[in-house]
Amino acid sequence: MITCVCLVVEKDNALLLVQARDRAKYYFPGGKIEEGETFEQALIREIDEELNVSLNPDKLSYINTIIGEAYPQKNTLTKLICYKTTDDIHWESIHSCSEITDIKWIAKSETKYIAPAVLTWIEQVAKA
């Protein structure tokens, strides 16, 4: 199982999602936790690397953890440890960097563009 920490940013009925290495599907910004890091430290590092955004640790809050199908790995599960931030960030003006090739708002209904684990997150939140 792959364990990742990720940032969930919602606006209206859309999610801010990223695309890595020109893959077909988009997923939450974030990534793997390095040895010795807390979840929050890993999230802050990953968001800085991927989006060049500095998150304030005091403004992070845990949402939930889901397990879903990994992407693009086949026959693998991923655990997404999901956070949100109350930082006042102008998401519309950020640009992707590092291995991220695109960042965009994607409506939750546009399932063909969304990675399977994010779809699992959407389904679980809808049930709550």
Side-chain angles (χ1 to χ4, degrees), residues 36-102:
E37 284 184 319
T38 66
F39 295 151
E40 292 85 1
Q41 289 169 333
L43 182 61
I44 290 167
R45 176 185 50 77
E46 285 286 346
I47 297 304
D48 185 49
E49 289 173 4
E50 293 182 358
L51 305 177
N52 199 28
V53 170
S54 296
L55 295 175
N56 180 339
D58 296 331
K59 300 213 173 181
L60 291 175
S61 57
Y62 172 78
I63 302 172
N64 63 359
T65 298
I66 64 104
I67 296 174
E69 183 184 336
Y71 174 82
Q73 302 86 345
K74 297 189 184 310
N75 304 315
T76 304
L77 293 175
T78 187
K79 178 194 287 186
L80 298 182
I81 303 164
C82 303
Y83 282 81
K84 64 181 178 179
T85 183
T86 56
D87 265 331
D88 185 22
I89 298 168
H90 300 283
W91 295 109
E92 288 75 16
S93 63
I94 64 169
H95 301 282
S96 58
C97 49
S98 189
E99 73 273 8
I100 301 302
T101 51
D102 194 21

